[in-house]
Amino acid sequence: MPHHILEDAPNAPARKPINPLLKLALELGPLVLFFFANARQDAILKAVPALAVLGDPRFVPIAVFMVAVVAALAVSWALTRRLSVMPLVSGVFVLGFGFLTFYLQDETFFQMKPTIVNGLFAAILLGGLLFGRSLLGYVFDEAFKLDDEGWRILTLRWGLFFVFLAILNEVVWRNVAYDTWVDFKVWGTMPITILFTLCQLPLLKRHSLEEETAG
């Protein structure tokens, strides 16, 4: 794909800033809609009976995620004549994963879903690094400024953390009762994620461009 079709890399001199709220909506909007649909899947199915063709209410969030990713890419192109890198990479994985899910219609999927989702995020972040792109920088560059090495390290750490979460979910759901697994999702995963996030603060401070400018 020609480079000029994609948005410029973080810290690139030619990178044109866009409205932070618009950027946040394009980058994280599909994920927010996915979690919302996951919480209200029955209500959505009742409001839109045609979605019954998916075969199970629990497939509704996947369908919403797929449509939202495509919509984010379309809006990005219409407004900026550029494709946002994160939705583009996400779209490749999400669409492939979604169609496979609908084809298999496997009940085991529901306990494997956190494994697949975390694996998806890991593949996106680590795959981006293989192509020289620190994808977290595309999402959060309007929130805080890091040097290129900082974005690379942060993207690598989060990619590996998602690998850890995927493996952890596999170990838990295959070895405990369903109700215990549900409790783990709520009371285990979130504290681990918060602790990991807090552990990244020294990295953010060490590689902050604002810190360098102040110094």
Side-chain angles (χ1 to χ4, degrees), residues 77-96:
W77 179 257
L79 295 180
T80 67
R81 286 299 183 266
R82 293 287 189 276
L83 292 178
S84 296
V85 172
M86 195 63 171
L88 179 61
V89 178
S90 300
V92 173
F93 287 98
V94 168
L95 293 177

Side-chain angles (χ1 to χ4, degrees), residues 47-168:
V48 188
L51 291 176
V53 71
L54 297 176
D56 191 295
R58 291 172 290 184
F59 287 113
V60 170
I62 302 298
V64 170
F65 203 179
M66 294 169 68
V67 172
V69 166
V70 173
L73 288 172
V75 171
S76 176
W77 179 257
L79 295 180
T80 67
R81 286 299 183 266
R82 293 287 189 276
L83 292 178
S84 296
V85 172
M86 195 63 171
L88 179 61
V89 178
S90 300
V92 173
F93 287 98
V94 168
L95 293 177
F97 159 70
F99 284 121
L100 182 61
T101 300
F102 298 143
Y103 175 76
L104 294 176
Q105 294 281 312
D106 189 350
E107 289 294 320
T108 306
F109 160 79
F110 300 111
Q111 282 182 285
M112 292 182 62
K113 184 166 66 174
T115 301
I116 297 171
V117 170
N118 286 313
L120 169 66
F121 292 154
I124 290 171
L125 295 180
L126 299 179
L129 288 177
L130 291 178
F131 290 95
R133 294 183 177 273
S134 303
L135 296 181
L136 282 184
Y138 290 88
V139 180
F140 295 113
D141 66 311
E142 298 294 334
F144 47 87
K145 301 294 183 182
L146 301 180
D147 58 31
D148 292 338
E149 181 68 4
W151 285 124
R152 187 191 69 79
I153 296 174
L154 190 64
T155 300
L156 176 62
R157 288 184 180 181
W158 273 100
L160 294 176
F161 180 67
F162 283 126
V163 171
F164 165 75
L165 289 181
I167 294 173
L168 182 61

Side-chain angles (χ1 to χ4, degrees), residues 3-53:
H3 182 268
H4 66 273
I5 294 179
L6 301 176
E7 62 177 330
D8 294 309
N11 301 332
R15 184 176 175 87
K16 297 179 180 179
I18 65 174
N19 185 289
L21 293 179
L22 172 61
K23 182 176 179 61
L24 189 65
L26 293 176
E27 303 284 8
L28 299 182
L31 186 60
V32 172
L33 289 175
F34 170 76
F35 284 116
F36 173 80
N38 191 58
R40 303 298 302 274
Q41 52 197 8
D42 291 323
I44 293 173
L45 187 60
K46 184 177 180 180
V48 188
L51 291 176
V53 71

